[in-house]
Amino acid sequence: MRMFVGMILGALLLTAGIYVYDSSATSTVANGQAASANRTIVNWDVAATEWNGLKNRAQDGWVKLSSK
C-alpha cells in the first residue's frame, strides 16, 4: 500500500515541479535572449484539452453504464 501512495505522491510532485519550472521559465520578467532560450517542458493548452476530453469520455461512459 505504501508503494502505491508513494507512486501517486511522486507523480503529483513531479507534475507540480514541472508546472513551477514552466511558470518561472515563461515569466514576464524574462525578456530578450533569455525569453527565447527558455521553452516550456509541457504544452499546457494541449494538456488541458486532452484532460477535458478524458473527463467528458469518462462522464459519457458513466452515464451509459448507469442507465442500464
Side-chain angles (χ1 to χ4, degrees), residues 5-64:
V5 171
M7 290 169 56
I8 291 170
L9 182 62
L12 290 174
L13 286 173
L14 177 67
T15 304
I18 290 172
Y19 181 77
V20 168
Y21 175 82
D22 280 351
S23 295
S24 66
T26 58
S27 171
T28 57
V29 175
N31 55 16
Q33 293 292 339
S36 63
N38 293 333
R39 294 189 176 199
T40 60
I41 295 173
V42 178
N43 188 345
W44 293 103
D45 296 333
V46 174
T49 302
E50 293 293 328
W51 178 250
N52 287 334
L54 177 66
K55 288 193 306 185
N56 289 337
R57 286 192 303 273
Q59 186 177 18
D60 292 343
W62 178 255
V63 168
K64 184 186 280 188

